[in-house]
Each structure stands twice: as C-alpha cells, then as structure tokens.
Amino acid sequence: MTTVSFNQAAPYLPASSPRSADVVLYLDLDGVVHHEAVLWHPRQGIYMSPYQAAGHALFEWIHILEEALWPHPGVALVLSSTWCIRPGYNATLKRLPASLRSRFIGGTYHKRVHGVDSWNLSMFRAMPRGVQVLDDALRRKPRRWIALDDDIEDWPDSARDNLVACEGSTGLSSQKVQCDLRVKLQRCQEALSAPPTPLPLDVRQAAR
C-alpha cells in the first residue's frame, strides 16, 4: 500500500452530524473476524481464498466478538473496513448476527461524507486506516473508543493506545487479542463510571 502523508494537525472533518455513543468500537473485518485472504469476484462477490485460507470461512470468529461485547451493552460499533465500499455498509450489516447489527451506528466511509467519484474514493482508500479511524472519532466525539484491526501500519501516535492489533491469519481467534480487547473494553467502562475529577482548589476559587 502506498503511504500518503497527511497533516495530523488539521484532520479532514466533513460537515455532518454522525451518530455517536459513549464508547465506540471501530471494527475491521478481514483479518479480524475471519482470515485476511478474502477475494472478490463480480459474479461471486466476496469469498474466502480456497488456496491461501483453505479450511477457513467468512465470519468464522464473529462469535468471539459477540461474547466479548456481551457484558458491555452500551458499546456501539462503527464499520472500519473496505467492506464499507464493497459490498457497502447496508449489505455488510445484513451478513452479521442481529446482536451486532443493532450496535452499528455507521461506517468510517460514507457516500454523503466522502463522495462517490473515483478521485475521492481513491483518496479515502490511500489514507492509512489509523487516520480514517481517528478522523471519524473526531467527528463522532465518543467519550472513549477502541479500534479492532489488522491494518496497523502508519497509525497516528495519539491513537495507538486505542488499537487492538490483530494478525491477519488469526484475527480474533488469538487468545492475546481476546485478552487485549476485554482489557480495553473494561478500561472504557471503568473510565465512564469513575466520578469526575474535582477541579484544583485554585481553579475553583477563580471560578467564583
């Protein structure tokens, strides 16, 4: 993938009002809920490579995500995957379990936000995944967010602590990934339930 340089100080913020939540999990699919060796054919659609991923199936690890999210009913999902573009956001959600579909509030790519012409589409595709996710988080403004992804190159330093990094051939089947995800989800929950930090005395006095 060609790396493109972006100005981190001035991220792309489209004029829109996307849905948000207190905690958002940005979900990639290929290399996360199934093996990364996914192919596309104009007649066959998306399918698993019979040569690079023999014995694997689409969404084979999706139940692991369901189990990890079950104790956290308030966590919303945002689709952060090339599936946003093909086959598209709505078509992708139809292939997911109902328990996950109900959590989705949008995708990192949206036609009304990023446009549909080939130039805008190519610009979005060239943008590192971490920048796509961070830009979306800046628009939605969740109180806490996590990204579950195997595309871990060129993530902004400010967002690396939010990333649960997967290996493309094992994804969520990795015990380490499952542990990391559960720890980060729990930390988000604890941060939301913690009482607000009181202002320093000098600041409170100045506010009177």
Side-chain angles (χ1 to χ4, degrees), residues 5-42:
S5 176
F6 292 89
N7 182 0
Q8 296 297 318
Y12 171 53
L13 297 175
S16 63
S17 300
R19 296 172 61 193
S20 191
D22 283 339
V23 181
V24 169
L25 172 62
Y26 286 89
L27 178 65
D28 185 22
L29 298 180
D30 301 339
V32 175
V33 299
H34 49 239
H35 195 286
E36 65 184 345
V38 173
L39 304 175
W40 180 85
H41 188 275

Side-chain angles (χ1 to χ4, degrees), residues 22-208:
D22 283 339
V23 181
V24 169
L25 172 62
Y26 286 89
L27 178 65
D28 185 22
L29 298 180
D30 301 339
V32 175
V33 299
H34 49 239
H35 195 286
E36 65 184 345
V38 173
L39 304 175
W40 180 85
H41 188 275
R43 289 193 299 272
Q44 190 172 348
I46 296 176
Y47 64 101
M48 190 64 66
S49 169
Y51 306 106
Q52 295 175 285
H56 289 279
L58 292 175
F59 306 107
E60 62 183 312
W61 303 316
I62 198 75
H63 68 282
I64 299 174
L65 179 62
E66 289 184 280
E67 293 167 4
L69 289 176
W70 184 81
H72 307 281
V75 176
L77 296 176
V78 171
L79 185 61
S80 175
S81 167
T82 55
W83 286 58
C84 277
I85 299 172
R86 188 170 63 190
Y89 177 78
N90 291 326
T92 299
L93 262 57
K94 291 178 181 178
R95 304 182 69 164
L96 299 178
S99 65
L100 296 182
R101 284 200 306 269
S102 62
R103 292 177 180 264
F104 274 91
I105 58 173
T108 51
Y109 171 80
H110 197 288
K111 293 178 181 178
R112 287 182 294 180
V113 173
H114 300 99
V116 295
D117 62 87
S118 58
W119 186 85
N120 280 326
L121 187 58
S122 64
M123 285 293 291
F124 182 82
R125 284 182 177 275
M127 188 184 297
R129 178 62 57 76
V131 178
Q132 295 175 11
V133 169
L134 183 57
D135 284 358
D136 192 90
L138 289 171
R139 290 191 300 114
R140 293 183 195 275
K141 296 180 173 59
R143 293 173 63 188
R144 294 289 187 274
W145 63 269
I146 303 168
L148 188 57
D149 211 307
D150 73 323
D151 187 347
I152 62 175
E153 298 296 325
D154 301 316
W155 273 72
D157 291 339
S158 61
R160 282 201 170 272
D161 286 344
N162 302 78
L163 174 64
V164 178
C166 297
E167 200 283 316
S169 62
T170 56
L172 270 170
S173 69
S174 163
Q175 292 293 325
K176 181 180 182 302
V177 171
Q178 294 174 33
C179 180
D180 192 15
L181 175 60
R182 288 188 168 90
V183 167
K184 282 184 164 58
L185 286 169
Q186 185 60 36
R187 286 177 180 170
C188 287
Q189 190 66 43
E190 291 170 356
L192 294 181
S193 59
T197 303
L199 293 172
L201 179 60
D202 56 342
V203 175
R204 283 180 283 166
Q205 290 174 341
R208 290 176 181 174

